[in-house]
Amino acid sequence: MKKFIVAFALLFSIQQTQAQELETILLAADDASLLTENYLNPAVKGLMYGMNGGWYTTAKTHKKFGFDVTINVNASFVPSKEQMFAFIPSDYTFLALPNGETKLNTVMSENDSETEINIRIPIDNDEFKVASFDMPGGITDDLPINAVPTPMVQLGFGLPFKTDIKLRLLPNSNFDDSVEANIFGMGLQHDLMQHFGPLEKLPLNVSILAAFTNMKVTYDVEDEEPDDEVAVYNGEAEFKMNTWTIQAIASLDFKIITLYGSVGYNNGKSTVKMKGDYTLTYDIEDDNGNVIRTVDESISDPISLDFDANGMRATIGTRLNLGFFKIFADYTLQEYNTASAGIAFSFR
């Protein structure tokens, strides 16, 4: 979990591996949000779909004061059509592709080749090439599957009235001195069979689940070198995610095996923001590479991204019951189909 959060924090901070990359993309701050949003979109959507999974492995609720600890991982598969995005020149004021590409790789593309992007700012009715940078390609070429992983640890507790409360919690935690993260999720699962008299004795169980997860990660953006051409003041990249789901669950619960399925609806919204004040020093050049003048420009809160993921879902899965020890796996059909697997320790 820690490695995943740190990796994602570094990802949404515009991959600041070199000061030059940060400088050049901030020069086109008005376009940077759109470009970065398109690039990161499948990773963030996959994360939201994954966060809405893994809440249950049966429709049967605990007895009062029963509990379980569940450890699982969800993998949300990125559709092939989401591995690239169209670069529409009219959508961008300052950015251009010198080699004439019409599509660019997203972060979840299997193609890791970089694409050169020019930043051109019109001054005095002429266009001047200010800088260029290499847009990174995808990161999934070396992965066994093209999917966004979401590992999770969850606690379930039996309340009165055949209702379970489920908790996901990562208190405010600091990693590598620059990344701070926290997660809080809660769900309620209520048994419906108790309201149907004799049907309660059947191995069939039916329940309803409502759950949400909130996640926040911040990453401090600092100057890499004292003489960088971009000076950063109070720089911070911030990722926020809010997801919720409501599902109707049914299961056939036998001593050794449980078969379960559900239908429901997902909703998720995420934001990525680069906050702070940035002072850029750069040269204005003509098309022949001659420096016309040097410019200092200040930009505040240059990047703001918004993502959403919502739609119907249907899940089918099975669980092996070895006393209090459970092994489970399921598959969810939705925009980003998701496979889940894990173990649980369940009592009462």
Side-chain angles (χ1 to χ4, degrees):
M1 171 65 77
K2 291 182 179 180
K3 289 182 179 179
F4 174 71
I5 290 174
V6 171
F8 195 79
L10 295 175
L11 174 66
F12 77 74
S13 65
I14 322 301
Q15 299 188 357
Q16 189 195 1
T17 57
Q18 297 179 5
Q20 178 69 14
E21 292 180 4
L22 179 62
E23 172 203 353
T24 52
I25 199 168
L26 291 181
L27 289 178
D30 291 341
D31 290 346
S33 290
L34 177 59
L35 183 71
T36 310
E37 187 172 302
N38 286 331
Y39 178 70
L40 295 180
N41 186 58
V44 180
K45 287 179 70 173
L47 182 66
M48 289 188 284
Y49 279 114
M51 281 293 183
N52 273 327
W55 281 104
Y56 56 86
T57 59
T58 176
K60 187 176 182 180
T61 55
H62 286 292
K63 297 178 181 178
K64 187 163 62 174
F65 304 135
F67 68 94
D68 69 86
V69 177
T70 301
I71 304 169
N72 77 299
V73 61
N74 304 312
S76 298
F77 300 97
V78 178
S80 57
K81 65 178 182 180
E82 301 275 279
Q83 294 186 27
M84 301 193 75
F85 68 92
F87 184 91
I88 303 173
S90 59
D91 290 344
Y92 299 89
T93 303
F94 305 119
L95 302 184
L97 303 182
N99 299 316
E101 297 92 343
T102 58
K103 290 187 176 181
L104 297 179
N105 297 312
T106 70
V107 67
M108 297 305 295
S109 171
E110 297 174 0
N111 185 346
D112 62 358
S113 60
E114 297 180 337
T115 304
E116 183 182 0
I117 296 181
N118 285 348
I119 300 177
R120 300 177 66 86
I121 299 178
I123 297 176
D124 299 331
N125 298 319
D126 291 316
E127 281 193 344
F128 298 93
K129 179 181 175 181
V130 175
S132 66
F133 68 98
D134 291 328
M135 185 74 179
I139 63 172
T140 65
D141 185 48
D142 296 326
L143 299 179
I145 56 174
N146 190 347
V148 181
T150 49
M152 188 60 61
V153 178
Q154 178 178 299
L155 173 67
F157 187 77
L159 301 175
F161 310 110
K162 294 191 174 181
T163 299
D164 285 355
I165 185 171
K166 302 170 183 286
L167 296 174
R168 297 172 170 178
L169 181 63
L170 176 69
N172 243 25
S173 302
N174 292 287
F175 310 112
D176 294 351
D177 297 325
S178 60
V179 179
E180 184 176 298
N182 66 77
I183 296 175
F184 177 73
M186 185 174 71
L188 289 175
Q189 182 176 339
H190 180 69
D191 174 44
L192 298 179
M193 294 299 290
Q194 62 181 312
H195 305 299
F196 294 95
L199 295 179
E200 190 178 7
K201 303 299 182 181
L202 296 175
L204 173 67
N205 287 282
V206 178
S207 62
I208 189 169
L209 169 82
F212 72 89
T213 304
N214 295 335
M215 178 179 180
K216 181 179 179 181
V217 182
T218 59
Y219 171 67
D220 292 334
V221 179
E222 300 176 350
D223 289 335
E224 294 293 319
E225 300 288 344
D227 296 329
D228 281 345
E229 294 174 320
V230 53
V232 182
Y233 306 95
N234 300 317
E236 180 183 78
E238 177 189 78
F239 170 70
K240 287 185 177 180
M241 182 194 69
N242 299 297
T243 64
W244 60 264
T245 184
I246 184 167
Q247 300 178 48
I249 312 164
S251 65
L252 291 170
D253 295 274
F254 303 103
K255 185 173 182 180
I256 299 297
I257 195 169
T258 294
L259 304 174
Y260 61 92
S262 70
V263 293
Y265 184 81
N266 286 331
N267 185 275
K269 294 185 182 299
S270 295
T271 60
V272 177
K273 299 181 185 296
M274 180 174 279
K275 300 179 178 181
D277 300 313
Y278 301 80
T279 299
L280 313 178
T281 302
Y282 58 93
D283 294 330
I284 300 290
E285 301 176 351
D286 60 21
D287 288 336
N288 297 318
N290 299 315
V291 177
I292 299 174
R293 64 175 180 271
T294 300
V295 177
D296 288 324
E297 182 178 355
S298 295
I299 301 174
S300 297
D301 302 334
I303 294 178
S304 179
L305 319 179
D306 294 289
F307 306 88
D308 62 80
N310 56 76
M312 299 297 296
R313 56 173 288 147
T315 299
I316 187 168
T318 186
R319 188 182 75 179
L320 181 64
N321 304 315
L322 303 174
F324 64 83
F325 181 64
K326 321 289 184 181
I327 304 172
F328 63 89
D330 60 53
Y331 193 82
T332 298
L333 296 175
Q334 53 191 356
E335 183 184 12
Y336 282 40
N337 294 339
T338 302
S340 302
I343 60 174
F345 303 90
S346 182
F347 301 90
R348 294 174 54 84

